[in-house]
């Protein structure tokens, strides 16, 4: 038995023979061309055919995995049609008098290197998109038609890497799971694996050895482990784990479409947290009743410039429309602390968690803040939107925020731009906000407890400092008392109270929160049905809870 580790990007257990997929690499060489115009025309013809092919892939992906994930192929189209890309290819053909294949490969290598060198992990992953899109174009130039990965029996696939286009075309009846040597948890291939619900491991420390071909293999997507030729005891243990997981999965599917109501009739809203637009399909697939935390900072982290009002509006609108009338709570910009953006030019701080971050930046850079608020309010014309402000610590801040909001609404009204009224809420993330929550509740429509920071600030422990792990206790009595206080103060002033931090998905605390009277719990999409199962089996009057 051989045990190999990697990064699990989608849970589940897959058991079956291993099939190795090797790409047929062909070296791209420069060759002189005499007729420059004909070579450029050959490039443009191949480009047009490739764009058509990507459109077919997009349409298939929309049908199979939803349009949010299908946007991968729209991005590939945009990359190939981008004037910077096409002009670079043509310029190389013209000035160096070389073949189109060489010009495409040189341009793609340059662009992918630029992406790969970026600080932001999401942007680094775009280097793989450049390579995937350009390889498709190169195949067209070389007269090669892209084919599906075929296997003769249900198998676990092992490859150096899988391009998004290869992943979306996998025959799910034949591919039990896959393992790649390259890739990360943020890659499009990983996102597709989660959406298609295929057990998958990336970044595995494994060679594509011929001797592995056909060997019985188990991949554990939860642990990120690959077992090649497992011993009988290990195999039986993993089969049991697989059976338990599938049984639990079937049970949870039965909860789809049900309201989250306790046995004694208390309705709890179970919402989902998302980090960007691509997560919405997961929210819908897991039957969340709304979005309790839309982290808007992804728009800033993924850009090399301040996102415009229009860019933000389109992102918010996309999410709001997809949720079809379900509530979407958009958190305003939460940059700072561990989330750095170069173009913000923030100074280094000795203790950034206690520094210039979140609402403090927004109240200091009001034009930046107003741009975001305008975009959010514009999106409210297309669905049910609420706005949530992070890191509030005083009543004065809330009053200033409401003033700015009123100014933005007046501007939009004067410009005759459609918008709907939106609930205004604040995150309770500091002991200061919790202790004056009775005052704050009079000025807002809801509270959402950010338990990650609330725990960190209450215990005076940096949650990212591993040396302090043994002292960090998210179940600390002080933290739970603060949460209870916030719920009581919120309810006494007629507003609802939710939790969007990690504790919301801690099933060992669900009963405690329900007894406190919490109205909403917002968790990662994959936790929604598990949490609903806990809620619908809870009875407030049962003393054994």
């Amino acid at each position: 038995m051989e045990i190999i580790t990697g990064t699990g990007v989608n849970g589940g257990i897959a058991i079956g023979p291993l099939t190795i997929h090797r790409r047929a690499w062909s070296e791209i060489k420069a060759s002189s061309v005499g007729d420059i115009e004909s070579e450029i025309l050959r490039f443009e013809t191949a480009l047009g055919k490739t764009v058509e092919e990507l459109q077919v892939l997009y349409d298939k992906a929309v049908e199979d995995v939803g349009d949010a994930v299908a946007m991968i192929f729209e991005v590939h189209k945009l990359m190939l049609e981008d004037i910077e890309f096409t002009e670079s290819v043509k310029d190389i053909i013209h000035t160096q008098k070389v073949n189109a294949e060489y010009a495409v490969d040189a341009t793609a290598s340059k662009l992918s290197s630029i992406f790969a060198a970026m600080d932001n992990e999401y942007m680094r992953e775009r280097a793989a998109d450049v390579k995937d899109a350009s390889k498709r174009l190169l195949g067209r130039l070389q007269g090669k038609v892209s084919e599906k990965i075929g296997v003769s029996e249900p198998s676990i696939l092992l490859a150096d890497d899988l391009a998004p286009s290869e992943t979306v075309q996998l025959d799910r009846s034949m591919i039990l799971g896959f393992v790649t040597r390259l890739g990360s948890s943020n890659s499009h291939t990983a996102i597709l694996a989660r959406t298609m619900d295929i057990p998958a491991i990336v970044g595995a420390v494994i060679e594509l050895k011929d001797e592995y071909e056909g060997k019985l293999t188990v991949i554990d997507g939860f642990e990120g482990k690959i077992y090649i030729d497992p011993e009988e005891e290990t195999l039986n243990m993993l089969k049991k784990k697989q059976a338990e997981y599938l049984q639990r999965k079937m049970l949870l599917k039965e909860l789809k479409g049900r309201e989250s109501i306790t046995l004694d009739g208390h309705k709890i809203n179970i919402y989902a947290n998302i980090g960007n637009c691509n997560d919405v399909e997961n929210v819908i697939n897991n039957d969340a009743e709304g979005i309790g935390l839309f982290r808007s900072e992804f728009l800033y982290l993924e850009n090399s410039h301040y996102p415009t009002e229009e860019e933000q509006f389109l992102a918010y609108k996309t999410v709001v429309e997809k949720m079809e009338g379900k509530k979407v709570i958009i958190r305003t910009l939460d940059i700072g602390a561990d989330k750095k953006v170069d173009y913000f030019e923030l100074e280094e701080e000795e203790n950034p968690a206690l520094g210039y971050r979140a609402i403090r930046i927004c109240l200091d850079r009001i034009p930046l803040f107003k741009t975001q608020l305008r975009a959010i309010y514009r999106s409210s014309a297309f669905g049910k939107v609420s706005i949530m402000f992070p890191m509030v610590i005083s009543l004065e801040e809330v009053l200033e925020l409401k003033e700015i909001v009123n100014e933005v609404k007046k501007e939009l009204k004067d410009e005759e731009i459609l918008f709907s009224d939106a609930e205004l809420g604040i995150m309770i993330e500091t002991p200061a906000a919790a202790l004056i929550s009775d005052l704050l509740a009079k000025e807002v429509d809801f509270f959402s407890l950010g338990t990650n920071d609330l725990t960190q600030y209450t215990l005076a422990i940096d949650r990212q400092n591993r040396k302090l792990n043994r002292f960090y206790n998210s179940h600390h009595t002080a933290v739970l008392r603060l949460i209870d206080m916030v719920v009581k103060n919120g309810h006494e002033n007629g507003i609802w109270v939710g939790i969007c931090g990690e504790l919301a998905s801690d099933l060992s605390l669900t009963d405690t929160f329900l007894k406190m009277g919490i109205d909403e719990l917002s968790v990662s999409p994959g936790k929604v049905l598990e949490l609903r199962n806990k809620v619908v089996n809870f009875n407030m009057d049962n003393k054994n809870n």
Side-chain angles (χ1 to χ4, degrees):
M1 177 174 72
E2 192 172 349
I3 303 174
I4 297 158
T5 59
T7 301
V9 293
N10 193 44
I13 308 286
I15 303 173
L18 197 65
T19 294
I20 300 174
H21 169 61
R22 292 184 176 88
R23 285 200 185 95
W25 299 105
S26 56
E27 189 181 351
I28 304 297
K29 294 181 179 179
S31 59
S32 299
V33 294
D35 191 340
I36 301 298
E37 294 308 315
S38 291
E39 193 65 12
I40 288 175
L41 179 61
R42 191 168 77 89
F43 160 67
E44 290 175 335
T45 302
L47 178 63
K49 294 282 187 185
T50 305
V51 168
E52 288 174 12
E53 194 176 317
L54 286 166
Q55 184 61 49
V56 171
L57 277 172
Y58 173 82
D59 294 338
K60 174 179 168 48
V62 167
E63 188 177 331
D64 291 351
V65 293
D67 50 3
V69 179
M71 281 301 294
I72 294 167
F73 302 107
E74 187 65 27
V75 168
H76 287 190
K77 277 173 58 182
L78 292 172
M79 282 179 169
L80 293 180
E81 293 178 312
D82 184 77
I83 193 166
E84 186 178 345
F85 181 85
T86 57
E87 289 304 310
S88 172
V89 173
K90 291 176 186 178
D91 183 60
I92 291 172
I93 294 172
H94 193 269
T95 58
Q96 298 184 34
K97 297 180 174 56
V98 289
N99 53 322
E101 289 89 339
Y102 178 79
V104 168
D105 189 53
T107 298
S109 295
K110 179 183 174 184
L111 288 176
S112 63
S113 296
I114 291 170
F115 279 115
M118 290 184 178
D119 292 333
N120 184 276
E121 186 178 357
Y122 177 89
M123 296 307 289
R124 285 199 300 273
E125 288 296 340
R126 301 296 67 78
D129 289 324
V130 174
K131 289 176 183 175
D132 189 19
S134 62
K135 279 173 187 170
R136 184 167 293 277
L137 175 54
L138 284 168
R140 180 63 64 175
L141 282 165
Q142 294 170 330
K144 298 174 184 174
V145 179
S146 298
E147 295 181 358
K148 292 183 183 179
I149 296 171
V151 293
S152 58
E153 61 179 325
S155 307
I156 292 169
L157 196 67
L158 171 63
D160 272 319
D161 201 5
L162 290 174
S165 53
E166 292 172 318
T167 310
V168 82
Q169 293 183 89
L170 292 176
D171 182 346
R172 278 180 274 180
S173 66
M174 298 296 278
I175 303 298
L176 304 172
F178 69 77
V179 177
T180 64
R181 293 179 61 249
L182 306 175
S184 77
S185 57
N186 292 318
S187 67
H188 279 320
T189 299
I191 293 166
L192 277 167
R194 289 190 283 270
T195 306
M196 296 164 75
D197 201 17
I198 299 174
I201 294 174
V202 300
V205 187
I206 186 171
E207 297 299 323
L208 275 58
K209 297 177 182 177
D210 290 337
E211 63 196 68
Y212 288 155
E213 186 75 43
K215 281 202 172 182
L216 180 66
T217 301
V218 184
I219 64 172
D220 184 340
F222 302 108
E223 302 286 337
K225 289 183 179 178
I226 304 121
Y227 299 82
I228 297 176
D229 201 10
E231 295 168 351
E232 188 175 355
E233 186 180 350
T234 302
L235 181 60
N236 289 336
M237 179 269 291
L238 290 165
K239 280 182 177 178
K240 184 181 176 185
K241 187 174 181 180
Q242 181 188 48
E244 289 172 351
Y245 168 68
L246 292 174
Q247 185 179 14
R248 180 171 144 268
K249 198 173 176 182
M250 288 300 294
L251 171 69
L252 294 180
K253 277 185 178 177
E254 292 173 11
L255 294 167
K256 277 197 172 185
R258 283 184 64 179
E259 282 195 291
S260 305
I261 298 175
T262 63
L263 291 171
D264 51 326
H266 292 277
K267 172 75 174 78
I268 308 298
N269 287 316
I270 298 183
Y271 290 172
N273 301 333
I274 65 171
N276 59 49
C277 300
N278 293 331
D279 295 337
V280 182
E281 290 299 325
N282 223 0
V283 172
I284 295 167
N285 291 339
N286 285 281
D287 200 35
E289 295 160 78
I291 292 175
L293 171 61
F294 181 5
R295 300 180 178 93
S296 66
E297 54 270 15
F298 86 95
L299 284 161
Y300 299 82
L301 291 167
E302 293 174 7
N303 268 301
S304 57
H305 63 275
Y306 290 105
T308 65
E309 179 182 324
E310 199 62 25
E311 287 171 333
Q312 294 188 63
F313 163 64
L314 289 173
Y316 304 143
K317 175 175 174 282
T318 297
V319 172
V320 171
E321 285 184 323
K322 286 183 187 305
M323 290 304 292
E324 297 181 338
K326 291 181 178 179
K327 186 180 289 187
V328 177
I329 302 175
I330 302 173
R331 180 176 71 184
T332 58
L333 176 64
D334 188 8
I335 290 292
D338 58 332
K339 287 173 276 191
K340 298 290 179 64
V341 181
D342 290 343
Y343 58 86
F344 269 69
E345 297 180 348
L346 302 177
E347 294 178 5
E348 288 294 323
E349 297 177 296
E350 285 189 21
N351 195 339
L354 301 179
Y356 190 56
R357 59 172 293 200
I359 208 65
R360 297 165 186 177
I361 293 175
C362 292
L363 290 177
D364 201 37
R365 303 185 185 186
I366 291 176
L368 168 77
F369 189 36
K370 279 189 170 182
T371 296
Q372 180 174 36
L373 288 174
R374 284 176 60 93
I376 294 173
Y377 267 106
R378 286 174 61 193
S379 74
S380 70
F382 299 87
K384 195 172 184 180
V385 172
S386 299
I387 304 173
M388 181 162 68
F389 304 109
M391 280 299 293
V392 167
I393 61 167
S394 71
L395 183 60
E396 289 74 22
E397 285 175 342
V398 174
L399 296 174
E400 187 177 353
L401 288 168
K402 290 175 73 174
E403 237 178 81
I404 295 168
V405 164
N406 288 332
E407 288 172 13
V408 166
K409 288 163 70 173
K410 184 178 183 307
E411 286 173 11
L412 293 172
K413 191 174 181 181
D414 290 345
E415 294 169 33
E416 298 184 349
I417 294 175
L418 291 176
F419 68 92
S420 296
D421 220 0
E423 280 186 320
L424 297 181
I426 59 172
M427 290 189 74
I428 304 293
E429 301 175 272
T430 65
L435 290 167
I436 61 166
S437 54
D438 57 330
L439 304 177
L440 298 173
K442 293 175 172 41
E443 298 295 335
V444 295
D445 301 306
F446 68 92
F447 288 149
S448 189
L449 285 140
T451 54
N452 303 346
D453 271 333
L454 182 62
T455 305
Q456 171 174 245
Y457 296 134
T458 302
L459 303 183
I461 288 178
D462 180 356
R463 57 191 169 99
Q464 297 189 69
N465 188 334
R466 292 181 183 178
K467 290 181 180 178
L468 301 177
N469 281 354
R470 78 184 190 91
F471 300 104
Y472 187 86
N473 176 14
S474 59
H475 292 210
H476 197 290
T477 303
V479 175
L480 297 178
R481 283 185 179 179
L482 286 174
I483 293 171
D484 189 42
M485 177 193 298
V486 171
V487 175
K488 284 188 172 70
N489 285 335
H491 288 172
E492 284 174 8
N493 287 280
I495 69 170
W496 64 266
V497 183
I499 300 175
C500 63
E502 287 299 314
L503 288 189
S505 60
D506 187 336
L507 298 182
S508 69
L509 284 175
T510 304
D511 293 358
T512 300
F513 293 146
L514 294 178
K515 287 173 184 174
M516 287 180 185
I518 207 77
D519 303 292
E520 176 250 16
L521 293 165
S522 191
V523 297
S524 62
K527 296 279 189 180
V528 168
L529 293 174
E530 198 172 4
L531 180 58
R532 181 173 296 157
N533 187 48
K534 184 81 174 176
V535 169
V536 300
N537 288 294
F538 176 82
N539 189 335
M540 195 78 73
D541 299 325
N542 188 342
K543 292 180 182 178
N544 293 323
N545 280 318

